């Protein structure tokens, strides 16, 4: 049976099953965590930036950490950078096609700039020693803890200033689940994500070897798209329900988590070699982040033309990396 999964049909089957576990696991995790947030009366913007973002980023965490432990370091870093570009351009762009996204002042002034700083930090730390080592991983994790602490403080401040409004806002956006069911959703979702991540890494590595694809290209395309599906589904559903704060917060928060927590944890476990191609992709992420930030700042919203532009830019990037890698190693 194990030998079957080393074949191309077996690897494809394992990849599909892994993606299903990742997506459904993240779905249950987010639903349970959001219901817990409702009981704690946390505002929707903070839910999107923290709990929902962390839940939808669990597939990236599972894949990147598993890849790091397995020694597939380029898959780990390619997955994170590719997922962030996908989140920014495809997830937000697709949401803008369904409904104009009003962008909060705090998102424009604080959250977006901080996500750009995180990408810059990735390039600087990677260039310093041509690797993301144990110390770099610790630095990123500390930055993540500081970010999480600031978001918790923002939640407390929001509850003090508008307790009644926050309570109504959260009640509209979450499902009222009993505590025991929330725990089952969270634990069950985490388990599904763990195994799904293992299977995705194993199957993608097998396919890369069979077809001669580089780990960087696999991480930037197949794995990045697969692990970003929870963000895509969550944000589009939120936008269609006019839950705009949660849609934008999910994407921006996920991108911050991906760099600080995921790459921080992966490099703390096993140093990741930082290649010139990684610096190029991270720089493209920075440029695209600045473009979206400017679009948001100009009108304080993202509308359909903006969404089309973002999707076109992503397609151009996709064509570029396929040509750059020649599709094969």
């Amino acid at each position: 049976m194990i030998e079957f999964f080393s074949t191309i049909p077996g690897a494809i089957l394992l990849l599909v099953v892994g993606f299903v576990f990742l997506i459904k696991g993240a779905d249950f995790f987010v639903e349970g965590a959001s219901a817990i947030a409702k009981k704690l009366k946390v505002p929707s913007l903070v839910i999107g930036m923290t709990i929902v973002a962390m839940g939808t980023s669990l597939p990236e965490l599972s894949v990147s950490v598993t890849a790091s432990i397995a020694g597939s370091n380029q898959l780990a870093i390619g997955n994170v950078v590719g997922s962030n570009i996908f989140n920014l351009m495809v997830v937000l762009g697709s949401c803008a096609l369904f409904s104009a996204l009003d962008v909060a002042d705090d998102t424009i002034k604080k959250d977006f700039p901080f996500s750009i700083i995180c990408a810059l930090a990735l390039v600087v730390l990677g260039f310093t020693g041509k690797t993301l080592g144990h110390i770099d991983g610790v630095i990123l994790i500390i930055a993540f803890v500081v970010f999480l602490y600031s978001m918790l403080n923002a939640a407390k401040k929001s509850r003090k200033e508008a307790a009644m409004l926050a309570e109504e806002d959260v009640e509209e956006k979450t499902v009222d689940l009993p505590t025991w069911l929330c725990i089952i959703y969270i634990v069950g979702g985490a388990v599904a994500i763990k195994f799904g991540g293992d299977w995705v890494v194993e199957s993608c590595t097998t396919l890369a070897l069979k077809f001669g694809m580089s780990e960087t290209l696999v991480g930037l395309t197949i794995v990045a798209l697969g692990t970003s599906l929870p963000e895509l589904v969550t944000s589009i559903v939120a936008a269609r329900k006019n839950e705009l704060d949660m849609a934008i917060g999910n994407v921006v928060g996920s991108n911050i988590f991906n760099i600080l927590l995921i790459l921080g944890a992966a490099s703390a476990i096993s140093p990741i070699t930082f290649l010139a191609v990684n610096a190029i992709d991270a720089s493209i992420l920075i440029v695209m982040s600045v473009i979206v930030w400017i679009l948001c700042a100009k009108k304080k919203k993202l509308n359909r033309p903006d969404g089309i532009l973002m999707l076109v830019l992503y397609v151009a990037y996709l064509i570029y990396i396929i040509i750059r890698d020649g599709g094969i190693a």
Side-chain angles (χ1 to χ4, degrees):
M1 187 66 177
I2 295 178
E3 291 181 358
F4 170 71
F5 291 115
S6 297
T7 64
I8 292 178
I12 293 175
L13 175 61
L14 192 63
L15 180 65
V16 172
V17 173
F19 277 158
V20 170
F21 270 63
L22 281 171
I23 295 167
K24 295 307 296 181
D27 183 38
F28 280 114
F29 180 92
V30 169
E31 187 170 350
S34 297
I36 289 291
K38 170 189 173 181
K39 298 178 186 298
L40 298 177
K41 300 178 181 179
V42 178
S44 63
L45 179 60
V46 178
I47 292 175
M49 287 288 294
T50 54
I51 295 176
V52 175
M54 185 178 293
T56 55
S57 287
L58 282 177
E60 287 93 336
L61 176 62
S62 178
V63 168
S64 292
V65 171
T66 301
S68 179
I69 294 174
S72 301
N73 288 337
Q74 285 308 300
L75 183 59
I77 195 168
N79 173 41
V80 166
V81 175
S83 292
N84 278 18
I85 294 175
F86 185 90
N87 290 346
L88 187 69
M89 308 308 286
V90 178
V91 175
L92 273 187
S94 299
C95 288
L97 293 181
F98 288 101
S99 176
L101 302 176
D102 294 321
V103 187
D105 286 337
D106 280 350
T107 301
I108 296 173
K109 295 177 181 178
K110 299 178 182 179
D111 303 327
F112 250 119
F114 185 67
S115 69
I116 295 173
I117 291 173
C118 290
L120 282 169
L122 173 61
V123 174
V124 172
L125 291 175
F127 260 142
T128 301
K130 304 301 180 184
T131 183
L132 289 176
H134 298 301
I135 295 178
D136 297 323
V138 172
I139 291 174
L140 293 175
I141 291 174
I142 291 174
F144 168 74
V145 172
V146 172
F147 167 74
L148 194 58
Y149 178 76
S150 69
M151 292 305 300
L152 291 176
N153 277 343
K156 291 179 182 178
K157 182 179 179 181
S158 179
R159 289 174 64 183
K160 289 179 181 179
E161 292 179 349
M164 291 300 296
L165 179 61
E167 181 176 358
E168 293 174 1
D169 191 39
V170 173
E171 283 179 356
E172 292 175 358
K173 294 174 172 52
T174 55
V175 178
D176 187 12
L177 298 175
T179 302
W180 66 269
L181 187 56
C182 291
I183 295 174
I184 291 177
Y185 275 22
I186 292 172
V187 174
V191 171
I193 288 168
K194 190 274 179 188
F195 283 103
D198 290 345
W199 295 335
V200 166
V201 170
E202 183 179 341
S203 59
C204 283
T205 302
T206 299
L207 291 173
L209 292 173
K210 294 292 184 181
F211 291 105
M213 296 174 65
S214 68
E215 284 188 349
T216 298
L217 180 59
V218 173
L220 286 170
T221 55
I222 300 173
V223 181
L225 185 148
T227 56
S228 290
L229 286 177
E231 283 93 336
L232 180 61
V233 174
T234 301
S235 291
I236 288 180
V237 169
R240 288 177 65 87
K241 293 183 178 180
N242 205 34
E243 314 281 11
L244 305 181
D245 285 344
M246 187 173 290
I248 297 176
N250 175 34
V251 169
V252 178
S254 291
N255 280 12
I256 293 173
F257 286 169
N258 287 350
I259 292 176
L260 297 184
L261 178 60
I262 296 175
L263 279 184
S267 56
I269 292 171
S270 176
I272 301 174
T273 303
F274 196 83
L275 304 176
V277 68
N278 299 136
I280 293 173
D281 292 321
S283 297
I284 291 174
L285 170 61
I286 294 171
V287 171
M288 288 186 171
S289 297
V290 171
I291 290 174
V292 176
W293 183 30
I294 292 174
L295 291 176
C296 292
K298 285 178 63 178
K299 305 181 295 290
K300 294 188 176 181
K301 68 171 54 180
L302 290 174
N303 52 30
R304 184 168 295 173
D306 297 325
I308 294 174
L309 173 62
M310 292 159 68
L311 291 172
V312 169
L313 287 175
Y314 181 78
V315 171
Y317 168 70
L318 200 59
I319 294 172
Y320 158 70
I321 60 174
I322 292 174
I323 294 175
R324 181 187 69 191
D325 285 29
I328 59 175

